[in-house]
Amino acid sequence: MPYEMPWTEPRLAPSAPEIRVGHIRTTFWCWARCAFCDFSRPHATRNLNDAPPAIHWDALASSPLDISSASWIKLGGGLSLREPFDYWLEFIRHLRPMTQARIQVFSVVELMLFQRETRRSFHDLMALLKWAGADALGSGGTESLTHHVVPFRPLAPTPEDYGHILDAGRGVDMEIGVSSMSGPGWPEGFILHSPDFFEVKPFRPMNTHIPSRETPHLMDLVRSIQILRQNHPKTPIFVSRPGPGDDRREILSGAGANGYLIHDWELTP
Amino acid sequence: MREPLSFVPTLSLPPTCGPEWARYLSLSFLGGYGGVGHIISPDPLEGVASQEITRPLPGHVWATHKVKRLKRTEAPESLSLWLDIPVGLDHPSLTTLNDAQKVAPIRRVVLQRTAPEPLARLDQSLSSLTEIFGADKLWLDADSLGGDAVSYLLWHHPELNIQGHQALEHLLGLARVLERRIVVRDFSGRPSKALAPLPTYAVPELPRGRSRDMPIHGGIV
């Protein structure tokens, strides 16, 4: 059910702060083939061991990157199923002492996969991730709560699933957000729950199967943020890769954005 | 669909290009807009219906950033004054504007942004300028302002005219958002042309149910 909200005129506000984000890609390989994804490289194999190996924790120490330059680190990637959940707990335990950054691990979709794979409850999984050193669960996959384009894929969380995951996260003090993809013609859906934060992502149609050629206009982003801000007045809204320019940031801050997630570095397998 | 956005595709030729090269650049630029467009040139060009000249010449429109006292033999038909959007009462653009009125009739004022002035001040200044001069003579130079600033300013001042070249992609997006067509025109008196809107991705009704029963990796998990 989309929000009923007319276009509201854009306003200006002092630019919200930039947050430097480091990305650790677990794997680019993924069997899910979500139509909107421009990230993964699908693999057709039925044999899990044929999937290329995911990133190893040795890469953290051997990389020439200064990982301390990022104040957020996001760990996540495709769904390869090759490495078990416990491997990633070890990975996070290696990462945690190396940085003071907020570590955001996986996404709601990946957590749903781990739940199916390990037969553990959301609460157990979240407690283990927290124990290993994670601060937050990534919001990826929750677009299905806000956009009716995305549900056509396995593991799309329903509002009920998301409610359970949110409860599990709150039980162990892990933040969980909602992703809101912004693109022309995409109606914004109704968000039942009140997440810990929103991440607004400008939709990039290149290399996806969504038959759209347009990236969102600045005013599309403004509208997405205005809608979220009006319905969730106190929840922080972060805009992922907002694009260059002070004007743009002042306009998005005027709509209600609280921070801009700027790509800092990337570590890939 | 509301009133269309008026856009004048404008090409400023470099001061050093010779007449053949200038003509080639102009015609290739105008060809991209179906023959409609405006050229700012150091010398008069043959075969270009809408142009301004960057030096004072009798019978032509003088496109200039600053004015000087002219001889009677130099007097242009009118002025196209290119100014930084004035912020504050002591801004040099206001002095130039005042001086220009004594030199020749002002046909239009093209508002630029060459210094990094905050958008809020530009917005405020445009409100005052529109009130004093009316929107008919005021043009926003989309190329120097940038697509984001133009989008914001046009939202608040929908009556302003726009010119430029590089910001067209951004304007097409804005036109979709504002539900306005873009009409390209120039100053030759020829009829304007409406640009086709960008194709927009439609979001049809979802089929019943969600496809959560799609297989997960061949049913392994």
Side-chain angles (χ1 to χ4, degrees):
Chain A
M1 184 178 91
Y3 287 119
E4 296 287 333
M5 182 178 151
W7 280 89
T8 314
E9 71 173 31
R11 285 180 301 204
L12 295 171
S15 182
E18 274 188 2
I19 298 162
R20 313 294 303 180
V21 181
H23 294 269
I24 302 174
R25 309 295 191 196
T26 52
T27 177
F28 283 103
W29 297 90
C30 189
W31 46 262
R33 299 182 183 176
C34 303
F36 59 90
C37 181
D38 70 342
F39 169 79
S40 65
R41 300 170 201 152
H43 68 90
T45 175
R46 290 182 66 89
N47 186 344
L48 299 183
N49 291 331
D50 286 349
I55 193 165
H56 195 270
W57 54 71
D58 285 350
L60 293 170
S62 60
S63 165
L65 291 168
D66 174 19
I67 70 166
S68 63
S69 64
S71 49
W72 278 29
I73 291 178
K74 290 186 181 181
L75 171 74
L79 306 176
S80 89
L81 286 176
R82 189 179 188 278
E83 282 73 18
F85 179 70
D86 293 6
Y87 172 85
W88 295 112
L89 290 180
E90 279 303 304
F91 191 98
I92 298 163
R93 274 171 59 78
H94 274 77
L95 175 63
R96 182 70 276 178
M98 300 173 73
T99 175
Q100 299 290 314
R102 170 190 190 273
I103 299 178
Q104 179 174 304
V105 295
F106 302 118
S107 62
V108 171
V109 165
E110 283 161 290
L111 192 79
M112 291 187 64
L113 180 71
F114 289 136
Q115 190 230 7
R116 298 274 284 271
E117 186 189 17
T118 62
R119 307 282 190 251
R120 283 165 167 162
S121 68
F122 288 133
H123 181 273
D124 283 2
L125 295 173
M126 296 289 271
L128 286 166
L129 291 171
K130 180 75 185 176
W131 167 81
D135 299 308
L137 183 74
S139 53
T142 52
E143 294 88 350
S144 57
L145 304 175
T146 57
H147 297 288
H148 75 196
V149 181
V150 195
F152 288 94
R153 57 172 191 195
L155 295 175
T158 61
E160 295 74 39
D161 295 327
Y162 187 72
H164 293 315
I165 293 172
L166 204 59
D167 286 345
R170 297 225 162 113
V172 295
D173 197 22
M174 282 264 278
E175 286 186 13
I176 305 173
V178 160
S179 286
S180 174
M181 256 206 264
S182 177
W186 287 31
E188 290 81 4
F190 179 73
I191 301 161
L192 191 62
H193 303 281
S194 196
D196 297 316
F197 63 93
F198 285 107
E199 188 174 339
V200 175
K201 297 177 178 174
F203 175 58
R204 298 187 296 269
M206 285 283 284
N207 304 325
T208 72
H209 296 291
I210 299 280
S212 165
R213 63 165 293 281
E214 285 177 279
T215 49
H217 190 267
L218 168 67
M219 293 302 166
D220 290 312
L221 285 176
V222 166
R223 177 169 164 77
S224 296
I225 297 168
Q226 284 174 342
I227 289 172
L228 293 176
R229 178 50 71 225
Q230 194 183 54
N231 290 280
H232 302 272
K234 292 185 177 166
T235 310
I237 301 171
F238 300 108
V239 183
S240 187
R241 305 193 190 195
D246 292 343
D247 291 342
R248 173 168 282 246
R249 297 192 186 176
E250 285 177 16
I251 295 167
L252 294 176
S253 300
N258 297 101
Y260 301 110
L261 305 182
I262 308 295
H263 180 82
D264 192 19
W265 50 259
E266 184 179 34
L267 205 56
T268 55
Chain B
M1 193 71 74
R2 293 186 284 163
E3 203 174 316
L5 288 168
S6 170
F7 177 63
V8 173
T10 304
L11 177 71
S12 291
L13 292 172
T16 49
C17 73
E20 288 84 11
W21 186 232
R23 188 174 150 72
Y24 170 79
L25 286 176
S26 307
L27 295 182
S28 60
F29 173 74
L30 295 174
Y33 292 96
V36 178
H38 186 62
I39 306 291
I40 316 283
S41 162
D43 291 297
L45 294 170
E46 276 182 34
V48 175
S50 176
Q51 57 181 314
E52 290 171 358
I53 314 298
T54 52
R55 60 194 171 90
L57 268 183
H60 288 92
V61 181
W62 180 24
T64 183
H65 295 90
K66 54 188 175 188
V67 288
K68 58 182 181 180
R69 186 172 289 176
L70 299 175
K71 295 177 198 162
R72 193 169 295 168
T73 52
E74 289 179 321
E77 181 189 293
S78 59
L79 274 181
S80 163
L81 200 57
W82 291 56
L83 296 176
D84 271 1
I85 300 179
V87 285
L89 289 173
D90 54 349
H91 195 275
S93 288
L94 294 177
T95 318
T96 313
L97 187 59
N98 195 33
D99 295 345
Q101 286 167 338
K102 298 168 195 162
V103 174
I106 296 174
R107 180 164 79 157
R108 64 189 192 118
V109 178
V110 180
L111 295 166
Q112 296 176 290
R113 182 203 217 177
T114 54
E117 295 289 354
L119 194 50
R121 294 189 75 184
L122 302 185
D123 185 23
Q124 206 175 8
S125 173
L126 280 178
S127 301
S128 316
L129 285 172
T130 315
E131 214 167 282
I132 297 166
F133 294 102
D136 290 352
K137 280 192 174 179
L138 296 180
W139 294 77
L140 289 180
D141 179 44
D143 293 350
S144 66
L145 280 159
D148 294 336
V150 165
S151 300
Y152 180 82
L153 294 172
L154 276 179
W155 190 292
H156 291 271
H157 308 280
E159 67 284 5
L160 289 175
N161 306 293
I162 327 150
Q163 69 157 50
H165 174 40
Q166 292 157 7
L168 180 64
E169 183 77 17
H170 214 98
L171 288 176
L172 284 166
L174 180 68
R176 172 184 54 74
V177 168
L178 296 177
E179 295 182 347
R180 295 169 74 176
R181 295 293 292 274
I182 290 191
V183 168
V184 286
R185 67 182 186 95
D186 57 25
F187 304 103
S188 65
R190 290 175 300 185
S192 54
K193 291 188 176 181
L195 288 185
L198 287 173
T200 302
Y201 171 57
V203 184
E205 282 296 308
L206 270 184
R208 286 178 184 280
R210 297 156 74 94
S211 303
R212 297 243 303 166
D213 51 356
M214 285 164 69
I216 294 176
H217 199 76
I220 289 168
V221 178

